[in-house]
Amino acid sequence: MSTAAATQGVSAGTIVASLQNCTKRYPGVLALDGASFQVAAGEVRALLGKNGAGKSTLIRMLTGAETPDTGEVEIDGRPLAHSGSVRAAEAYGRGVRVVYQELSLVPGMTLAENLFLGRWPTGAGVIKGRQMEAEAEAALKRLGLDLPANRLVAGLSPAERQLVEIARVLLGKPKLVILDEPTSSLAAAEAEKVIEAVARIAAEGIGVIYVSHRMNEIRRIARSATIMRDGRIIDTVDVAGADTREIVRLMLGAEADAATALTSRAREKVVLEVKDLSLPPKLSSVSFKLHEGEVLGIAGLLGTGRTELLQAIMGVRDFKAGTINVDGAPVRKPGYHAMMKRGFGYTPENRKDEGIVPLLGVDENALMTDFPAVSSGGILSSSKISAAARAVIERLHVKAARTDTPIGTLSGGNQQKVVIGRWVHAGSRVLLLDEPTRGVDVEAKAQIYAIIRDLAAEGRSIIFVSSEIEELPLVCDRVLVLRDGELQEEFTSPNIDQDAVMAACITSH
């Protein structure tokens, strides 16, 4: 990766930020334990670790939002000397910027207004609109985003919104940009735009800390990764030479050793058979069988039609040709409610926008697939709702203070457990899971894998769509590769080799 550090007034390789033996305690929690860390100009450093590992505390140290109990934080070669809000202003003044996972844009304002929110350029008490728009467009073009500065944020795609957030932190000559899960809610094609933007930032000599759980992205954008566990820096590894399983072991520690070999409990009975399904332009002729108690993985590049396949089976999309058989009987025209009655459940790829109702409680989100089951005489029963919600929470190990806690306040992993749990509540026997681990940490992923395997052991059948090839051998009995509109290759556990699956995904005729 080339650098042009002169544009930022620092030399490539110069340390722009560091922690030296920093410790931070909160009541009952050792959040940071003697952590030493540094990042250089023009470097993209991945920061890895499960929830609670200390990543957020480390980031807050660098931004000046927290002061270490012991140790020292240096930004641009000098220690942060103040405390409280003055310390945060000091770090900001030296060029530390952060983009958090939850976007903070105002949809009803323009791009320029969002970029300069709270820092309006003024003259004689009047906002300099033309100057603001010109500087905003220049910041956007630095990331390869050609958009008019007077456009409303409400009309942008998710990837464009993320890039606008990044463009905002480029104003004012930053030295360090921290990106917290910038692609967790994006599809692969949209994530590509963010990855390209990160490369542009580093090429200007800006240090970047990149927090993500997507190993494929990390391998492309970062040369090294710092791994945290239990508040400590465990290791910093060369990304190119590091094995994913070794990185996971470093993140989980003793937890990784507790993993057990996958044992298939798939049965002979075929619960779903798809024959020559066609849904132009994505799918031309797809055929496969799903057995009772089987976890069937579908791999393929973005745009190959994986989501469309699940939606066609669930009746969300109409397909042009082909047949779908359930328990040996043809389903002429699948409809969503008809497939629900046949025992099918579907979790969408975009959990945040399509999978949950953020302001409603865990209970309402978990039980919406079968409200009659928690009703008496056609009226919802609070006692039945509480008991049923508690059963889902306990069954899927959801961490929530109360059954009526708004689901939007939970972590991504716990939200996803509830989304899966609603189909457990409905008694669904066939689950169509589209990217069920997207945007969740390593610990939550392992828990979701265990949940899926437990459901399969109970006799449920599951189709598991994932863009993360490395997780398919951990949860699937079989993996089918979708390419060129058809299912091209099949891999069976325990011989599901992620390199072979990836090669099958990218090979073309």
Side-chain angles (χ1 to χ4, degrees):
M1 182 181 295
S2 63
T3 60
T7 60
Q8 294 303 321
V10 316
S11 300
T14 300
I15 302 302
V16 294
S18 69
L19 273 67
Q20 299 172 16
N21 199 31
C22 287
T23 296
K24 182 67 178 180
R25 285 183 172 85
Y26 300 106
V29 177
L30 179 59
L32 212 59
D33 185 6
S36 294
F37 173 88
Q38 62 183 29
V39 61
E43 175 187 11
V44 179
R45 173 71 63 83
L47 184 60
L48 307 177
K50 68 178 186 178
N51 282 351
K55 303 189 302 296
S56 296
T57 304
L58 184 147
I59 289 170
R60 290 173 65 80
M61 291 290 173
L62 292 170
T63 63
E66 294 283 2
T67 303
D69 298 330
T70 61
E72 193 169 68
V73 180
E74 290 190 358
I75 304 296
D76 199 22
R78 292 170 292 155
L80 293 179
H82 298 86
S83 60
S85 59
V86 177
R87 185 181 182 89
E90 184 182 10
Y92 186 91
R94 295 192 199 172
V96 178
R97 306 288 187 271
V98 60
V99 178
Y100 290 104
Q101 185 174 0
E102 295 299 324
L103 302 186
S104 59
L105 301 178
V106 182
M109 300 180 75
T110 67
L111 305 189
E113 289 167 339
N114 270 279
L115 260 63
F116 285 91
L117 192 61
R119 296 180 289 114
W120 316 106
T122 59
V126 179
I127 294 175
K128 298 180 179 179
R130 290 185 179 179
Q131 175 187 332
M132 184 171 69
E133 290 186 358
E135 291 183 17
E137 289 186 358
L140 293 168
K141 286 179 180 178
R142 285 173 69 181
L143 300 181
L145 199 60
D146 189 13
L147 291 173
N150 60 359
R151 182 174 174 178
L152 291 180
V153 164
L156 301 183
S157 71
E160 289 171 333
R161 294 189 186 201
Q162 184 68 72
L163 290 172
V164 171
E165 286 273 10
I166 297 173
R168 180 159 62 184
V169 302
L170 294 182
L171 298 173
K173 296 183 178 181
K175 300 284 197 311
L176 173 68
V177 171
I178 305 169
L179 302 176
D180 185 10
E181 296 279 6
T183 62
S184 63
S185 61
L186 303 181
E190 292 183 317
E192 185 68 26
K193 299 176 183 177
V194 176
I195 292 171
E196 291 174 357
V198 173
R200 287 172 180 259
I201 294 171
E204 293 186 7
I206 301 171
V208 179
I209 297 176
Y210 192 88
V211 181
S212 177
H213 296 102
R214 293 182 169 185
M215 285 306 303
N216 290 341
E217 287 181 10
I218 290 170
R219 292 188 188 282
R220 292 183 54 201
I221 198 64
R223 292 183 178 175
S224 60
T226 294
I227 300 162
M228 298 191 69
R229 186 177 75 239
D230 300 328
R232 297 191 298 273
I233 303 291
I234 301 301
D235 199 359
T236 296
V237 300
D238 178 72
V239 170
D243 179 74
T244 299
R245 283 168 288 192
E246 175 62 14
I247 290 175
V248 171
R249 190 192 66 78
L250 290 171
M251 283 193 280
L252 297 181
E255 297 175 35
D257 298 330
T260 58
L262 188 152
T263 301
S264 175
R265 292 193 171 91
R267 303 160 192 174
E268 290 296 324
K269 180 181 177 182
V270 175
V271 296
L272 171 68
E273 183 175 10
V274 175
K275 292 183 179 179
D276 301 320
L277 189 141
S278 173
L279 201 166
K282 297 293 181 68
L283 307 175
S284 57
S285 180
V286 172
S287 300
F288 69 92
K289 295 179 181 179
L290 175 66
H291 296 266
E292 186 177 63
E294 180 182 29
V295 181
L296 177 64
I298 303 291
L301 302 178
L302 184 80
T304 53
R306 301 167 308 172
T307 294
E308 288 81 359
L309 175 59
L310 295 191
Q311 291 178 341
I313 295 170
M314 193 65 195
V316 178
R317 287 177 180 259
D318 294 328
F319 52 88
K320 182 178 180 181
T323 59
I324 293 176
N325 294 337
V326 176
D327 297 326
V331 181
R332 301 297 179 187
K333 290 185 178 180
Y336 184 80
H337 293 290
M339 295 306 287
M340 280 184 63
K341 290 179 180 179
R342 287 181 168 87
F344 280 63
Y346 168 66
T347 67
E349 178 181 18
N350 189 339
R351 176 183 64 249
K352 184 176 180 181
D353 293 337
E354 301 174 7
I356 64 170
V357 184
L359 297 181
L360 294 185
V362 171
D363 47 8
E364 293 168 293
N365 275 275
L367 308 179
M368 62 174 56
T369 47
D370 191 3
F371 277 135
V374 291
S375 302
S376 295
I379 300 175
L380 290 172
S381 165
S382 59
S383 61
K384 287 186 176 182
I385 288 173
S386 179
R390 198 175 300 112
V392 170
I393 288 172
E394 292 175 357
R395 172 70 178 81
L396 277 74
H397 309 291
V398 178
K399 293 181 180 178
R402 297 162 47 97
T403 58
D404 60 355
T405 298
I407 194 172
T409 65
L410 304 187
S411 68
N414 284 298
Q415 290 177 7
Q416 188 65 58
K417 292 177 192 176
V418 175
V419 173
I420 296 172
R422 70 168 56 123
W423 297 110
V424 176
H425 166 70
S428 301
R429 60 194 181 93
V430 180
L431 303 181
L432 312 177
L433 309 181
D434 195 355
E435 300 282 7
T437 64
R438 171 166 289 174
V440 306
D441 66 37
V442 172
E443 181 182 33
K445 285 184 179 183
Q447 293 171 348
I448 290 172
Y449 300 156
I451 289 168
I452 290 171
R453 294 306 307 176
D454 287 346
L455 294 174
E458 294 173 2
R460 289 181 172 90
S461 306
I462 297 159
I463 298 180
F464 184 95
V465 166
S466 177
S467 299
E468 299 187 35
I469 302 298
E470 59 264 34
E471 72 180 352
L472 295 173
L474 303 177
V475 71
C476 297
D477 299 303
R478 283 191 300 147
V479 174
L480 302 176
V481 176
L482 183 59
R483 189 184 73 238
D484 300 329
E486 301 178 15
L487 292 170
Q488 301 283 358
E489 297 189 44
E490 177 178 319
F491 300 84
T492 304
S493 180
N495 300 312
I496 302 174
D497 181 87
Q498 59 179 316
D499 292 337
V501 175
M502 176 59 76
C505 290
I506 64 177
T507 302
S508 59
H509 291 307

